[in-house]
Amino acid sequence: MNHLNYTLSAAALSLLLLGACSKGPASSSYTLPVETGVSQQLAEHRSQTLRNVHYNIKLQIPVGKDAPIPSTEVITFDLSDLSQPLQIDFKEKPEMLHGLKVNGSEAPLTFQNEHLVISPKLLKAGTNSVQIDFTAGNLSLNRNEDFLYTLLVPDRARTVFPCFDQPDLKAVFTLSLTLPQNWKALANAPLQDSVLTGATKTYTYQPSDTIPTYLFSFVAGDFSRVSNNERGRAMHFYHRETDEDKLRSIGPIFSIHRDALDFMEDYTQIPYPFQKFDFVAIPDFQYGGMEHVGAIDYKASTLFLDEGATKDQLVARSNLIAHETAHMWFGDLVTMRWFNDVWMKEVFANFMADKISKTTVQDSNYDLKFLIDHFPAAYSVDRTAGANPIRQDLANLQDAGTLYGHIIYHKAPIMMRQLERLMGEKAFQEGLQVYLKTYANGNATWPQLIGILDARTPVDLQAWNQVWVNEPGRPVFDYDLKVEDGKISSFAVSQKAEDGSDRLWPQLFEVALVYADSVQELTVNMDKAAVALTEAIGKRAPLTVLFNSSGQGYGVFPVDLRYRSGISQRLHNPVMRASMYINLYENMLNNRQVTPASLLPVMMLEASVETDELNLKLLTGYLGDTFWRFTTPERRLEIAPAIEKNLWDAMEKQSSGNTKKLLFKTYQHIALTKGAQDRLFQVWKAQKAPAGVTLNEDDYTSLALSLAVRDYTDSEGILRQQLTRIKNPDRQKRLQFLLPALSGDEQVRDAFFASLKDRSNRDKEAWVGTALSYLHHPLRVDSSEKYLRESLELVEEIQLTGDIFFPTNWLQSTFGYYQTPTAAETIRTFLAEHPNYNPKLKGKILQATDHVFRSNTILSGNSDQ
């Protein structure tokens, strides 16, 4: 019998709960409020009173992605406090709950504000058992016709099944899945048995390792399974790839995982800490990867690379695999106590991934990759009015998704590298080993780690931590160099906060004195507002000075006014060249000595002579950004022929296939003249790449999309033909989804945008982001600016219904190329009309739209920000 009681008034519920509190040993006279989400107050109470949590979950997954999933779970736990009602999190409609038993007896279903509330009268001190019959929630099940997968970080477990959804209530999960007979499945734990019953089969898994709810995971569907047992490590890989060229990369995928595991075991001195190590490639997965214990998820396109893959793609794949593998120790073995420290697991995953790639990737330039991977991305947020600190406050877990972004993924590794340099590599490593062993299988906070590291260095890490971790922003550097009789007589470097405050960022970095015949580096210990480089006094006057030449300093570094185009040819170290490119671009954005008009010729010249692939990717990215974002439409038409010719000529001169491909893709990105578009059409039509360039199916699809957004002749025919060329059904569906966003008919595009207001049409978030980038392409902004206001109005809903990166992806794909005063006014008006807007979401808006305001300032010639 079901005891349904969903419609209790607030007063009646309050009386019920207060009455319940009179039973048992009361440790508090205060009743915890039942709030939406998971408040920090609730989480702390449950963490103090619950132990030994175990979920036994049974799901019956039918054929058809819209059919309900009947489910049952039994939660067992030890309870030490009967003064409060027990709140079990479930972010679904109350009618999804069908029955409740507490300690073997049927109980009323009391549901309020996303919580199943159980009176203490039904509970007991010690071990309790709660059985819940329910229909699984669909929000985070990512259901497709022939596969599904969970993605429950940071607070999405509660959208699928009732649970205590907080990172410091780690639990054991015993899972049973009943599936269509032709499906396969992967979960956190090893398979215990499989039973066939008619058209279905039931997988029962062994009890999992002790993990937080956000790491609970399963994938089920029509997948192929590949097993490998080299070096004594058994691994299983599930995928849906059909391209024979891409399937050849399966061997390297296993090998990269093993290399990463070997490194982590050696660095931490802790053997791999879980029962198994399997992984799956999912089409159009929302992230690059997700570190589920025993069942890592990856975006398929990041793993499967063919012979046309660039070095950058190969390195990125190795780094991604290393990142997710490092999470097994940082995040999975030791987990943050609360999601305000979510950045800890991400910084160490990135930090370790860079170290792993340094030792395992052939011809890897660790310093260069670190500089290019992290600094531009960190600056893209830290320079904005919406910049956030690395460590942020979090009152309720429902807002945890807003904490993610470039600051925790990219500024934090920069900070950590500075910390390692400050302490020394050995002391730093020893501190991390102590941290992992102290908190293994448990939870820890950043202050606890800082305490461990602080004991291993004479430096005051608490003061250092305040500006680097607890506050946003970056310093702006300046210098004063005097020369007498051809020699340096004085050289001073100063810093000030970009926001005008008197904050200081203690750090170490290098400056290089560049001569015709040599380059000399000097180390700057920037521990105060201004420092004198006495080591430089008496040295001959250089041709130019390059700041941050080792790529480890953080901030806006000056550009020597004596800089001349081509000076990079004297810089044989690719890190120095990358640092120079970054300095130029950041100074252009800050209206500081460099303008778009002066930067573009430099970028074109450097692109024609740069031989390092990573540097060329950085350069061509800056070139494209400057062209589309910080150049007027009229000026683009004037300079496009020269840029296109420069890129094509540079491509033909390059000897490396990878650099040739980078230049070709940049040519495709610019392609403003009819001649350039005709050339791209011929490449697409004949499926014959330029000499020395290797293009695959995805590249030819990209060419078709580029032609369509430019309204090239018979664009619809081009897209239809490309659809027939694609053989993989997942990639066919993706292109079909994109078609209306690419239509030359404005009414079709209007209807497509209107369809995105329905949450169900946003399920494939990666597809939506790509579609928006074409809908708001620079050549379409005149007809698409009308969508901006409604796009902003949808952000709150998207944050609640989408995955953690989707609000940022939505905003960046929407506002990526606007530069009009009216677009800037739309943003200002929206924010002014919403003075109480969620501050973290407001920050995301200001981050994603920063260049709209900068382009207005730069193009108007007004230096006021």
Side-chain angles (χ1 to χ4, degrees):
M1 176 182 288
N2 290 342
H3 297 274
L4 301 180
N5 187 12
Y6 300 127
T7 57
L8 282 174
S9 70
L13 180 63
S14 177
L15 286 171
L16 170 68
L17 300 186
L18 287 170
C21 290
S22 66
K23 301 291 185 180
S27 64
S28 171
S29 60
Y30 174 70
T31 301
L32 283 169
V34 182
E35 304 176 42
T36 58
V38 180
S39 70
Q40 188 171 13
Q41 181 186 22
L42 171 63
E44 289 175 351
H45 172 76
R46 293 193 305 205
S47 178
Q48 293 165 5
T49 58
L50 292 171
R51 293 288 182 274
N52 302 322
V53 181
H54 188 152
Y55 298 93
N56 192 320
I57 302 173
K58 297 180 180 180
L59 305 172
Q60 299 177 47
I61 300 173
V63 175
K65 70 174 187 175
D66 297 319
I69 299 178
S71 308
T72 299
E73 72 171 326
V74 177
I75 312 174
T76 59
F77 51 89
D78 292 342
L79 180 65
S80 63
D81 178 18
L82 296 178
S83 70
Q84 298 286 340
L86 182 70
Q87 298 185 35
I88 302 177
D89 315 325
F90 190 46
K91 188 181 178 180
E92 257 300 345
K93 298 174 183 176
E95 53 264 33
M96 302 285 269
L97 293 166
H98 309 306
L100 173 68
K101 288 184 179 180
V102 179
N103 292 322
S105 299
E106 292 197 21
L109 282 162
T110 303
F111 190 79
Q112 183 188 22
N113 290 338
E114 303 174 352
H115 296 282
L116 177 59
V117 183
I118 299 176
S119 167
K121 292 188 296 185
L122 304 173
L123 300 165
K124 59 185 178 181
T127 301
N128 289 263
S129 171
V130 174
Q131 178 180 321
I132 307 168
D133 298 325
F134 64 102
T135 299
N138 275 322
L139 182 64
S140 303
L141 280 181
N142 298 283
R143 298 177 71 177
N144 298 266
E145 290 299 336
D146 51 1
F147 71 96
L148 61 79
Y149 60 93
T150 59
L151 184 55
L152 307 182
V153 64
D155 71 328
R156 296 304 175 86
R158 65 193 179 99
T159 69
V160 178
F161 62 99
C163 60
F164 306 117
D165 204 359
Q166 59 189 77
D168 60 346
L169 276 182
K170 289 188 170 184
V172 173
F173 292 82
T174 300
L175 175 66
S176 174
L177 296 174
T178 299
L179 309 165
Q181 192 177 121
N182 62 323
W183 282 23
K184 296 181 178 68
L186 172 68
N188 300 108
L191 183 66
Q192 181 170 295
D193 60 53
S194 174
V195 178
L196 293 175
T197 308
T200 67
K201 64 182 171 187
T202 299
Y203 284 134
T204 300
Y205 293 90
Q206 297 175 23
S208 73
D209 298 286
T210 304
I211 58 176
T213 47
Y214 79 85
L215 290 178
F216 171 68
S217 173
F218 62 87
V219 178
D222 184 9
F223 286 87
S224 297
R225 180 176 184 262
V226 182
S227 299
N228 190 292
N229 198 31
E230 293 177 12
R231 302 188 221 168
R233 292 188 190 273
M235 298 182 184
H236 306 289
F237 178 26
Y238 295 74
H239 69 86
R240 290 170 55 82
E241 186 53 67
T242 57
D243 188 321
E244 289 297 327
D245 290 336
K246 293 183 177 180
L247 288 172
R248 294 190 185 98
S249 63
I250 285 179
I253 291 170
F254 279 112
S255 180
I256 295 166
H257 277 99
R258 286 195 171 82
D259 288 343
L261 284 167
D262 289 346
F263 179 94
M264 288 302 301
E265 289 184 333
D266 180 66
Y267 187 91
T268 65
Q269 292 297 293
I270 297 174
Y272 176 68
F274 301 110
Q275 298 177 62
K276 70 184 184 77
F277 190 91
D278 298 335
F279 45 94
V280 57
I282 298 172
D284 296 298
F285 187 62
Q286 289 94 317
Y287 319 154
M290 179 60 205
E291 67 272 16
H292 300 128
V293 169
I296 300 173
D297 292 357
Y298 290 104
K299 181 182 290 188
S301 60
T302 62
L303 289 192
F304 286 108
L305 303 177
D306 57 24
E307 63 178 10
T310 64
K311 179 182 177 182
D312 181 60
Q313 288 175 306
L314 293 167
V315 171
R317 177 177 67 181
S318 293
N319 219 55
L320 172 64
I321 290 172
H323 176 105
E324 303 307 334
T325 303
H327 265 311
M328 299 300 113
W329 285 261
F330 293 99
D332 294 7
L333 178 64
V334 179
T335 307
M336 65 276 163
R337 182 178 297 169
W338 185 237
F339 262 88
N340 64 323
D341 278 329
V342 65
W343 68 275
M344 287 176 66
K345 74 184 184 73
E346 298 305 333
V347 65
F348 282 116
N350 263 351
F351 190 71
M352 291 297 140
D354 291 325
K355 285 184 175 292
I356 293 168
S357 297
K358 180 180 180 179
T359 61
T360 61
V361 176
Q362 188 176 7
D363 301 324
S364 171
N365 186 324
Y366 169 72
D367 291 327
L368 179 63
K369 178 168 174 34
F370 192 94
L371 174 61
I372 290 177
D373 276 1
H374 298 306
F375 283 75
Y379 290 162
S380 72
V381 173
D382 227 12
R383 72 167 83 97
T384 75
N388 57 270
I390 292 174
R391 193 172 197 242
Q392 304 176 66
D393 294 329
L394 181 66
N396 193 304
L397 202 61
Q398 66 185 356
D399 294 324
T402 63
L403 304 184
Y404 288 80
H406 285 330
I407 293 299
I408 69 170
Y409 282 96
H410 298 291
K411 184 180 181 180
I414 295 167
M415 173 276 294
M416 202 62 72
R417 193 177 185 195
Q418 280 284 337
L419 180 56
E420 181 186 49
R421 187 173 179 182
L422 195 66
M423 292 182 61
E425 289 188 25
K426 187 173 185 296
F428 184 76
Q429 181 178 358
E430 288 174 353
L432 292 186
Q433 289 174 350
V434 170
Y435 163 76
L436 289 172
K437 289 171 183 174
T438 301
Y439 297 104
N441 299 307
N443 301 80
T445 66
W446 171 244
Q448 287 171 321
L449 174 56
I450 274 287
I452 290 173
L453 297 178
D454 202 17
R456 287 161 174 78
T457 177
V459 179
D460 181 0
L461 291 189
Q462 301 299 336
W464 180 92
N465 176 66
Q466 180 60 29
V467 69
W468 275 100
V469 177
N470 294 333
E471 297 173 352
R474 57 183 185 167
V476 177
F477 295 95
D478 209 339
Y479 74 105
D480 182 30
L481 175 66
K482 290 185 172 58
V483 175
E484 295 178 6
D485 299 326
K487 293 185 178 181
I488 297 173
S489 59
S490 68
F491 190 178
V493 181
S494 60
Q495 66 165 308
K496 63 179 180 181
E498 193 169 17
D499 64 4
S501 68
D502 59 358
R503 293 179 298 153
L504 302 176
W505 282 257
Q507 57 181 301
L508 296 162
F509 58 84
E510 278 66 41
V511 296
L513 308 178
V514 183
Y515 301 96
D517 56 354
S518 64
V519 177
Q520 296 182 31
E521 275 193 309
L522 307 174
T523 295
V524 181
N525 183 4
M526 202 74 209
D527 58 355
K528 44 186 171 291
V531 298
L533 299 185
T534 56
E535 185 184 352
I537 296 174
K539 293 185 180 294
R540 56 194 171 117
L543 294 175
T544 189
V545 178
L546 173 62
F547 286 82
N548 198 27
S549 55
S550 64
Q552 295 184 39
Y554 188 78
V556 183
F557 291 91
V559 176
D560 189 335
L561 287 175
R562 294 170 300 166
Y563 169 83
R564 294 292 182 272
S565 296
I567 196 72
S568 70
Q569 295 174 57
R570 303 183 189 278
L571 302 175
H572 302 299
N573 184 334
V575 175
M576 292 185 179
R577 298 199 300 275
S579 191
M580 184 189 73
Y581 304 148
I582 293 171
N583 291 351
L584 284 167
Y585 186 74
E586 290 299 318
N587 277 272
M588 183 271 288
L589 292 183
N590 275 28
N591 259 344
R592 195 175 182 228
Q593 303 174 341
V594 183
T595 65
S598 65
L599 182 61
L600 277 170
V602 173
M603 293 297 179
M604 285 192 291
L605 174 62
E606 298 299 340
S608 68
V609 297
E610 179 60 68
T611 56
D612 184 275
E613 183 183 326
L614 291 178
N615 268 342
L616 190 59
K617 182 184 178 184
L618 177 70
L619 261 176
T620 52
Y622 282 159
L623 192 155
D625 273 357
T626 307
F627 180 81
W628 287 115
R629 290 179 169 176
F630 301 104
T631 307
T632 65
E634 297 76 19
R635 180 61 178 156
R636 285 182 215 144
L637 291 172
E638 295 173 6
I639 63 178
I643 294 178
E644 292 165 355
K645 183 179 186 306
N646 179 280
L647 289 168
W648 193 268
D649 290 347
M651 178 190 70
E652 292 185 323
K653 291 175 185 176
Q654 287 279 0
S655 57
S656 162
N658 286 347
T659 53
K660 282 178 176 288
K661 185 171 183 177
L662 274 171
L663 289 163
F664 175 75
K665 298 295 281 187
T666 309
Y667 180 89
Q668 173 187 329
H669 181 50
I670 300 294
L672 200 54
T673 68
K674 186 176 185 305
Q677 294 169 19
D678 287 344
R679 182 176 256 165
L680 293 180
F681 173 73
Q682 291 303 322
V683 170
W684 172 84
K685 181 180 179 181
Q687 295 191 79
K688 184 177 180 181
V693 177
T694 301
L695 299 179
N696 58 28
E697 180 189 272
D698 293 337
D699 295 320
Y700 286 112
T701 298
S702 175
L703 274 173
L705 300 179
S706 293
L707 291 167
V709 81
R710 287 164 171 78
D711 292 321
Y712 192 79
T713 305
D714 193 24
S715 292
E716 290 189 9
I718 291 171
L719 293 172
R720 284 196 303 270
Q721 186 173 348
Q722 185 61 31
L723 195 58
T724 65
R725 291 177 175 180
I726 298 172
K727 305 306 178 188
N728 183 281
D730 295 319
R731 289 192 282 273
Q732 285 178 340
K733 292 174 184 175
R734 175 182 181 272
L735 181 53
Q736 287 170 335
F737 179 86
L738 298 178
L739 291 180
L742 290 151
S743 174
D745 186 335
E746 186 174 341
Q747 291 185 335
V748 173
R749 300 200 300 274
D750 290 345
F752 174 77
F753 176 75
S755 74
L756 297 180
K757 299 173 189 177
D758 183 340
R759 188 195 68 77
S760 64
N761 293 323
R762 303 193 301 263
D763 284 346
K764 290 287 189 180
E765 294 174 2
W767 296 1
V768 173
T770 301
L772 288 173
S773 68
Y774 285 109
L775 197 68
H776 295 278
H777 188 276
L779 298 175
R780 292 269 172 89
V781 291
D782 288 345
S783 63
S784 299
E785 189 171 325
K786 62 190 175 189
Y787 309 140
L788 296 185
R789 174 70 190 213
E790 288 182 286
S791 297
L792 289 169
E793 290 170 349
L794 283 167
V795 171
E796 285 184 307
E797 178 189 331
I798 284 168
Q799 191 267 323
L800 292 173
T801 61
D803 279 301
I804 53 179
F805 298 114
F806 193 34
T808 295
N809 189 13
W810 173 274
L811 288 164
Q812 290 180 341
S813 299
T814 297
F815 288 93
Y817 292 103
Y818 286 92
Q819 52 180 210
T820 61
T822 50
E825 186 57 31
T826 296
I827 301 162
R828 288 193 194 96
T829 300
F830 176 83
L831 293 176
E833 291 175 357
H834 296 81
N836 299 318
Y837 199 75
N838 181 316
K840 288 186 171 60
L841 281 184
K842 179 181 178 180
K844 297 293 182 188
I845 292 172
L846 291 172
Q847 292 166 20
T849 62
D850 177 73
H851 77 275
V852 179
F853 298 104
R854 286 186 192 269
S855 63
N856 272 245
T857 300
I858 290 170
L859 295 177
S860 69
N862 180 5
S863 61
D864 293 329
Q865 292 296 319

